Amino acid sequence: MVPFDDRDGFIWMDGALRPWREANVHILTHAMHYASAVFEGARCYNGTVFKLSEHSQRLLDSAALLGFPLPWSRDEIDAAVNETVAANGLSNAYVRPIAWRGSEQMGVSAQLTKPHLAVAVWEWGAYFGEEALRKGLRLAIAKWRRPAPYTAPTKAKAAGLYMICTMSKHEAEAAGYNDALMFDWRGQVAEATGANIFFLKDGALHTPTPDCFLDGITRRTVIGLARKRGIEVIERAIWPEELESFEQAFLTGSAAEVTPLAEIGPWRFEVGQAVLGLGKDYSDLVNGRA
Ligand code: PMP
């Protein structure tokens, strides 16, 4: 794989496009030491970034939740993203805006740091590979649990919240799985390491209430698509004991899109019509065919 710091193209940083290899920060950047960073992940389809303004708004909200409101407006972030996509000559791409505290101050206190913003875009195919879309993923059960809302700012898409995701994903991969299902601090089913989760049972969809993890933009989109198909969607607490009763299961995320699940730990799921149909609906919608 070509390393991410050694590519051609342009990255938008603090108001201007820079050559890709020159989009750097100093090692004494507060974000690097104390995780004072928030980010977004979106996708551009045929030249249009799907739900761009919702992503820009979530970035603003995440930064505000971490206590460093950004001096850019939602429209300015939208424009920066579109400018970066165009400058790189891409029409289908993954989009990664990131905001962070700078290097003006070191230590836990960060009152003097300045907020920064960058936008990078790159070509990125199916997050779990094409085969996963047909066969379904295998998920391990993570040892780490999503923190309680009183333990961390769980509504923010904050870099620090991904520490346990990377650890969980690595452990799953080492055991031959694609990803991990994380429970929350109560022991309820929460989400995967970078995507929300849905289950099908007796014709209805069940998905955990997002009270301590991201209420994903894709999650909300897919709930809308399911209801449009006449499928009942129930948001509720889901306990692991129920996993064996579900017939189909899938993940949703801007990167993961709609990805079927074949296994979670000892439980098996069918890659069936409901999952595949919603995957097609989502693909049609983001590509402007719906
Ligand atoms: N949960 C986590 C931990 C994620 O990283 C993501 C991807 N941003 C999601 C859920 C899904 O969010 P969205 O659909 O807005 O991309």
Side-chain angles (χ1 to χ4, degrees):
M1 194 196 279
V2 186
F4 274 86
D5 59 357
D6 191 15
R7 296 183 173 200
D8 296 328
F10 298 92
I11 290 177
W12 189 100
M13 213 165 151
D14 289 339
L17 290 166
R18 294 192 195 183
W20 191 284
R21 295 175 183 81
E22 295 169 27
N24 299 316
V25 292
H26 195 270
I27 195 69
L28 294 180
T29 297
H30 195 273
M32 173 94 175
H33 299 247
Y34 303 100
S36 47
V38 295
F39 64 99
E40 270 308 313
R43 275 187 190 267
C44 181
Y45 299 89
N46 306 323
T48 303
V49 178
F50 184 65
K51 303 224 164 159
L52 173 56
S53 295
E54 281 189 42
H55 285 281
S56 300
Q57 187 60 52
R58 187 168 67 185
L59 186 75
L60 287 165
D61 296 343
S62 296
L65 280 166
L66 265 68
F68 64 108
L70 302 181
W72 294 273
S73 68
R74 193 180 68 183
D75 286 352
E76 285 169 335
I77 300 172
D78 286 357
V81 166
N82 285 326
E83 193 184 340
T84 314
V85 169
N88 287 281
L90 294 173
S91 47
N92 290 288
Y94 180 75
V95 176
R96 168 56 56 84
I98 178 160
W100 69 99
R101 287 188 187 271
S103 49
E104 294 80 8
Q105 186 179 4
M106 256 304 165
V108 173
S109 185
Q111 311 280 5
L112 300 177
T113 58
K114 294 207 174 86
H116 296 269
L117 176 64
V119 182
V121 302
W122 61 86
E123 276 182 302
W124 208 6
Y127 184 67
F128 290 102
E130 290 296 332
E131 198 188 80
L133 296 176
R134 291 189 309 275
K135 286 189 163 178
L137 299 177
R138 301 179 62 234
L139 301 194
I141 307 274
K143 284 193 195 128
W144 296 98
R145 291 182 171 199
R146 303 307 305 166
Y150 52 78
T151 302
T154 52
K155 289 283 161 219
K157 192 166 164 62
L161 292 169
Y162 285 85
M163 175 180 65
I164 53 173
C165 298
T166 298
M167 292 169 80
S168 300
K169 180 134 183 162
H170 282 187
E171 195 167 338
E173 286 175 341
Y177 291 92
N178 304 98
D179 199 356
L181 170 67
M182 302 184 80
F183 298 152
D184 71 13
W185 90 102
R186 295 164 294 209
Q188 293 171 7
V189 171
E191 57 171 357
T193 63
N196 293 119
I197 194 160
F198 286 80
F199 302 96
L200 183 87
K201 184 176 161 178
D202 300 330
L205 281 181
H206 301 254
T207 190
T209 308
D211 59 7
C212 64
F213 53 86
L214 286 184
D215 179 8
I217 292 168
T218 320
R219 178 187 182 281
R220 292 198 300 267
T221 304
V222 168
I223 287 175
L225 290 171
R227 289 187 173 142
K228 219 166 137 187
R229 272 186 178 243
I231 301 172
E232 186 188 4
V233 183
I234 304 157
E235 299 181 65
R236 62 177 178 87
I238 295 175
W239 293 91
E241 291 75 35
E242 287 183 68
L243 288 172
E244 69 171 320
S245 70
F246 295 127
E247 297 143 18
Q248 298 179 33
F250 59 92
L251 301 182
T252 63
S254 300
E257 300 171 301
V258 175
T259 304
L261 298 178
E263 293 178 32
I264 302 176
W267 301 288
R268 302 286 176 273
F269 306 94
E270 179 204 353
V271 178
Q273 273 318 303
V275 182
L276 296 173
L278 286 167
K280 182 181 180 303
D281 286 358
Y282 184 74
S283 171
D284 286 349
L285 178 66
V286 297
N287 284 290
R289 293 191 296 260

